[in-house]
C-alpha cells in the first residue's frame, strides 16, 4: 500500500477491507469533482501520461497481473472477478489489457459533468458490491482465502492504491 493510501486508512481509523475500498472511491471522486475544469493537458507521472478519463478507466476496470509491484495497478472489477472465481474454485481469467502505458483518444476527451455523474454512479456501485461481498465472508475467508494469490483482505486493501491514478491527474482549478 502506498503512503497516501496508508495515511487515509489511518484517518478512517479502520482496517476493514470494505472501508478501504470505500475510502479509495471517496478520494478518487473527490478529485474527479474538479476535473470538469481540466485544461486538457495530460499529467506525466512515472513515465506515463494520465488524464481524468484514463484515471477513471484504470480505477474501474482495467486488470493487471496478480501481485503487481507497479503502484496503482488495482482495478476494482478485475479483483472482484478474481475473488468471485476463487470463491467457486475456478482459476481467474487471464487479462489481455495494455495497462497504463496505453493512452487512448477517448482518454484525451474533455471530462464533462455527465462523465462525472457516470463515474460517481459506477464507482459508488462497485464499492457497494465490494462491501456486500466482503460482508458475507468470515475473518478466516478474508485472511486464508482459497486459490493462489493474495488473501481477499489484501486484495481489497490493495484497491486503496488505485488513488495513484487520480492523484497523478490531481486537482483541477
Amino acid at each position: 500500500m502506498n503512503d497516501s493510501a496508508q495515511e487515509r486508512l489511518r484517518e478512517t481509523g479502520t482496517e476493514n477491507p470494505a472501508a478501504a475500498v470505500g475510502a479509495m472511491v471517496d478520494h478518487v471522486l473527490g478529485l474527479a469533482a474538479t476535473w470538469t475544469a481540466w485544461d486538457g493537458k495530460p499529467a506525466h507521472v512515472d513515465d506515463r501520461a494520465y488524464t481524468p478519463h484514463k484515471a477513471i478507466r484504470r480505477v474501474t476496470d482495467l486488470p493487471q497481473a496478480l501481485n503487481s509491484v507497479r503502484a496503482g495497478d488495482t482495478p476494482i472489477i478485475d479483483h472482484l472477478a478474481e475473488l468471485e472465481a476463487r470463491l467457486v474454485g475456478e482459476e481467474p481469467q487471464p487479462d489481455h489489457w495494455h495497462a497504463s502505458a496505453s493512452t487512448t483518444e477517448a482518454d484525451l476527451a474533455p471530462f464533462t459533468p455527465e462523465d462525472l455523474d457516470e463515474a460517481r454512479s459506477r464507482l459508488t456501485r462497485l464499492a457497494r458490491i465490494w462491501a456486500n461481498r466482503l460482508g458475507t465472508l468470515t475473518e478466516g475467508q478474508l485472511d486464508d482465502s482459497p486459490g493462489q494469490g493474495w488473501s481477499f483482505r489484501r486484495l481489497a486493501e490493495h484497491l486503496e492504491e488505485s488513488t495513484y491514478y487520480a492523484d497523478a491527474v490531481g486537482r483541477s482549478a
Side-chain angles (χ1 to χ4, degrees):
M1 199 175 310
N2 65 34
D3 290 341
S4 63
Q6 287 175 335
E7 184 176 310
R8 274 187 296 284
L9 271 182
R10 281 192 297 276
E11 289 171 4
T12 63
T14 182
E15 291 191 16
N16 173 335
V21 178
M24 179 274 294
V25 166
D26 290 346
H27 179 78
V28 169
L29 291 176
L31 289 172
T34 71
W35 294 343
T36 57
W38 178 57
D39 65 7
K41 297 176 187 163
H44 295 275
V45 178
D46 295 335
D47 79 347
R48 308 237 170 153
Y50 295 99
T51 68
H53 283 288
K54 185 175 183 176
I56 296 299
R57 177 171 61 86
R58 294 295 304 155
V59 167
T60 304
D61 58 10
L62 283 181
Q64 85 324 302
L66 289 178
N67 300 330
S68 171
V69 296
R70 184 171 183 77
D73 284 345
T74 56
I76 296 174
I77 292 175
D78 181 53
H79 282 317
L80 184 61
E82 175 191 346
L83 180 150
E84 294 296 335
R86 289 172 53 195
L87 276 173
V88 297
E90 294 178 358
E91 287 291 317
Q93 293 183 348
D95 66 69
H96 303 285
W97 300 96
H98 300 285
S100 59
S102 175
T103 301
T104 69
E105 287 296 317
D107 291 336
L108 299 171
F111 195 79
T112 67
E114 292 80 11
D115 294 319
L116 177 58
D117 287 343
E118 288 186 10
R120 282 181 177 140
S121 293
R122 186 175 300 117
L123 290 175
T124 301
R125 285 180 178 140
L126 285 167
R128 188 73 243 146
I129 292 168
W130 266 97
N132 290 341
R133 167 45 85 193
L134 293 171
T136 68
L137 302 177
T138 66
E139 291 294 314
Q141 288 173 306
L142 286 170
D143 295 321
D144 187 20
S145 309
Q148 292 186 346
W150 288 335
S151 73
F152 295 155
R153 183 184 308 277
R154 180 65 184 112
L155 279 179
E157 290 170 349
H158 182 58
L159 290 173
E160 181 77 5
E161 294 175 17
S162 288
T163 60
Y164 173 88
Y165 299 109
D167 290 339
V169 175
R171 189 170 299 280
S172 294

